[in-house]
Amino acid sequence: MKTFSILVLFFSFSLAAQVSTLPLWPEDEMPNKQKSDEKEDINQDDITWITKVQKPTLEVYLPPKASANGQAVLVCPGGGYAGLAYDWEGTEIAKYLNSKGIAAGVLKYRLPGSASVKESFKAPLQDAQRGIRILRANALDWNIDKNKVGVMGFSAGGHLASTLGTHYQEAFYSAIDSTDSEEIRPNFMVLVYPVISMDSKITHQGSHDNLLGKKPTAALEKQFSNELQVTENTPPVFLIHAGDDDVVPVENSLRMYTSLREHGVPTEMHIYPKGGHGFSLANEIYYLQSWSDRLTDWLRNLN
């Protein structure tokens, strides 16, 4: 009986998801960094809210090997480029993906307003590019197919995810080790109530100002209006938005969808009439709960 109990315990651990947290950058080799007295702040009230990120990380969630389907997702929490809704739009999403056999890496990325960052708009993308490379560099050990690695982002994290998927032609930092030989283009994008455009008519002004400053050049606004950066080589996209979103107008997703269609990029979009902004998995909004099922169907179809 004792032997049986030990075996059951071992079997339970072997089936459990594995979680580990890795630094994005080797010590003293983080690009775009400057010295400051700023300290990272983590507030844990209703959600875990992180600001002033000093040490960006990738928190990796791996499903049991027996259920792993080879897909992996870099998860970018939102927060208006002012903070990160780290559990609400990060770790809870990773757990959901694991339940579907998908590996996930939650990105704790640097924020553009940090005193420890030199060039504001570059830091989040540098961290995202490094994050997806880490997933691919560890593909063999983590039961990941390098050709099935995508990115998922919520709100401003959706802007970061869509930036990663439309600005992959070059890295925003110089290579520092073998990890940086990996591809930065995601194989697919999942954009949930995303900020897409920097156009003042439809953008989320807080995300715009935090990322680019209050008076950026027209060229910089165009560069980070990601509906304008779509090409025929942009990876397939899954879009979710609520029509009554009064924080990030639904026109962000509509413009992105139109641009993707015009360039022949495979795209699926779901617009719900109600839901507002920031609903995450929508566990308390019955008519929105099924959006994650639609995502699962779409991800399976990619295979």
Side-chain angles (χ1 to χ4, degrees), residues 18-264:
Q18 305 171 56
V19 182
S20 59
T21 302
L22 307 175
L24 282 183
W25 308 98
E27 194 72 25
D28 299 324
E29 294 192 68
M30 187 186 306
N32 196 21
K33 178 183 177 181
Q34 63 185 7
K35 289 185 178 181
S36 80
D37 295 327
E38 190 175 65
K39 305 294 182 184
E40 187 167 305
D41 185 65
I42 302 176
N43 187 296
Q44 294 177 310
D45 288 330
D46 292 339
I47 66 170
T48 299
W49 177 251
I50 303 178
T51 58
K52 303 175 183 178
V53 173
Q54 301 299 301
K55 294 185 177 180
T57 59
L58 189 69
E59 188 169 347
V60 181
Y61 286 71
L62 301 178
K65 185 175 181 179
S67 64
N69 66 13
Q71 288 181 325
V73 176
L74 180 70
V75 181
C76 304
Y81 283 124
L84 303 178
Y86 191 74
D87 54 354
W88 184 244
E89 296 172 344
T91 56
E92 291 302 302
I93 305 303
K95 293 171 187 175
Y96 174 79
L97 292 169
N98 273 191
S99 74
K100 304 302 178 182
I102 302 167
V106 181
L107 187 70
K108 187 179 76 171
Y109 56 92
R110 288 173 293 167
L111 297 159
S114 170
S116 301
V117 167
K118 292 180 181 179
E119 293 183 273
S120 61
F121 65 91
K122 288 186 177 180
L125 182 56
Q126 288 169 330
D127 290 351
Q129 290 182 337
R130 179 73 175 180
I132 199 168
R133 282 173 157 171
I134 289 175
L135 288 174
R136 287 194 167 115
N138 291 277
L140 184 61
D141 292 335
W142 294 347
N143 304 305
I144 293 171
D145 183 334
K146 287 187 180 184
N147 296 313
K148 296 180 180 180
V149 181
V151 63
M152 181 176 188
F154 297 75
S155 193
H159 183 267
L160 178 56
S162 63
T163 305
L164 182 66
T166 55
H167 294 69
Y168 56 81
Q169 294 84 357
E170 63 175 332
F172 270 53
Y173 65 94
S174 299
I176 57 176
D177 57 25
S178 60
T179 295
D180 292 325
S181 64
E182 299 291 344
E183 177 60 56
I184 56 177
R185 177 187 180 274
N187 296 109
F188 56 87
M189 292 189 281
V190 179
L191 308 177
V192 187
Y193 41 86
V195 178
I196 294 293
S197 184
M198 294 292 111
D199 183 344
S200 61
K201 295 177 182 177
I202 67 168
T203 193
H204 174 245
Q205 200 62 43
S207 296
H208 170 283
D209 294 352
N210 289 329
L211 183 65
L212 304 181
K214 292 185 177 181
K215 295 182 179 180
T217 64
L220 196 60
E221 284 185 322
K222 180 179 179 180
Q223 181 182 3
F224 286 93
S225 290
N226 292 328
E227 79 279 16
L228 304 178
Q229 307 305 323
V230 172
T231 72
E232 64 276 5
N233 294 319
T234 298
V237 178
F238 183 90
L239 283 159
I240 287 286
H241 221 119
D244 66 346
D245 191 331
D246 60 359
V247 177
V248 177
V250 69
E251 282 75 16
N252 281 268
S253 285
L254 295 175
R255 280 197 191 179
M256 187 64 165
Y257 180 78
T258 299
S259 184
L260 292 162
R261 289 261 303 165
E262 288 175 348
H263 289 86

